[in-house]
Amino acid sequence: CCNCYSQKVLVSVFMEDRVAGESNDTIYHNIKRKLAWKDFKGVPDTKHFGGAVTASGYAFDADIKIEGKIIYLNVGVYVFFKKSQSWKKSSINSQYHLLHEQTHFDITRLGAENFINQLVNSKFTKDNYNQMLDSVFDKSYNENFALQEQYDKETQHSVNKEAQLKWNDRIAGEMKKIK
């Protein structure tokens, strides 16, 4: 007959439950642990128009195991906040402003969830899994960056209180779906 050789790619994608100690520069997103002003340890940029900056992002670890004709691809996703790169000006101390920054961190988490959903719906093959991981990550990260920009534009960096309240409700509603 023919010499057919096929491989199957089984993908497992999950949100990692990472925890860092208090002295660590990184806070991993945890729905139960909200940001506090003491987490913002970076030096404020006095020329920056904003009162605070949240340095957050998401990343992934992947490992591959090949057993016969099956490729097992395990992808762990995590969301982080960098204390040393996040800052606030001394005049910014309110819970209102802190919630604006928390919402940035939550939007980052939603971006990671979107990345996971896109991976689950991707068609992986033995020839494309490395490129597919990177392209799906880049696409989701760019979408998340655009959402962060939209959030700041519509809320005018928290100045527009009506828009801020709408975004607070929108993101809180999305976060409830992932609990």
Side-chain angles (χ1 to χ4, degrees):
C1 182
C2 64
N3 276 338
C4 296
Y5 184 76
S6 65
Q7 281 188 309
K8 186 180 204 175
V9 181
L10 297 178
V11 182
S12 171
V13 187
F14 55 94
M15 185 64 68
E16 290 186 12
D17 188 21
R18 291 188 175 195
V19 179
E22 270 304 306
S23 62
N24 198 305
D25 185 49
T26 302
I27 296 171
Y28 295 103
H29 196 281
N30 180 321
I31 291 168
K32 294 178 182 138
R33 197 251 193 237
K34 299 295 182 193
L35 295 175
W37 283 128
K38 67 180 176 61
D39 298 325
F40 293 73
K41 298 195 180 291
V43 176
D45 179 353
T46 55
K47 294 182 178 107
H48 192 278
F49 59 86
V53 166
T54 292
S56 65
Y58 59 92
F60 67 91
D61 290 323
D63 68 58
I64 297 150
K65 186 168 61 172
I66 300 172
E67 290 180 5
K69 294 182 178 183
I70 301 174
I71 298 172
Y72 296 93
L73 177 60
N74 294 306
V75 183
V77 181
Y78 57 96
V79 181
F80 59 88
F81 171 93
K82 288 293 188 183
K83 294 177 187 178
S84 64
Q85 295 171 18
S86 301
W87 54 262
K88 71 170 202 71
K89 292 180 179 171
S90 60
S91 61
I92 303 297
N93 296 301
S94 74
Q95 288 303 110
Y96 173 81
H97 289 107
L98 183 59
L99 182 56
H100 178 84
E101 298 307 317
Q102 178 67 50
T103 302
H104 273 296
F105 197 23
D106 290 345
I107 290 171
T108 304
R109 171 63 185 260
L110 294 172
E113 295 288 339
N114 178 43
F115 172 54
I116 288 171
N117 290 334
Q118 287 185 33
L119 284 178
V120 166
N121 293 309
S122 295
K123 303 292 182 227
F124 287 92
T125 68
K126 70 178 181 65
D127 297 321
N128 80 354
Y129 63 86
N130 270 328
Q131 182 272 332
M132 182 71 73
L133 264 176
D134 290 339
S135 69
V136 171
F137 179 83
D138 291 345
K139 179 179 181 283
S140 74
Y141 212 86
N142 289 335
E143 289 168 353
N144 190 255
F145 183 80
L147 188 60
Q148 298 276 7
E149 295 275 302
Q150 181 187 357
Y151 170 55
D152 271 338
K153 182 179 179 186
E154 290 181 12
T155 64
Q156 297 171 296
H157 299 270
S158 80
V159 172
N160 182 332
K161 291 187 178 182
E162 184 180 329
Q164 183 66 57
L165 292 173
K166 285 180 184 174
W167 272 90
N168 291 351
D169 289 345
R170 172 183 170 184
I171 300 304
E174 292 296 316
M175 291 298 293
K176 283 181 182 161
K177 293 177 187 175
I178 64 172
K179 287 186 177 179

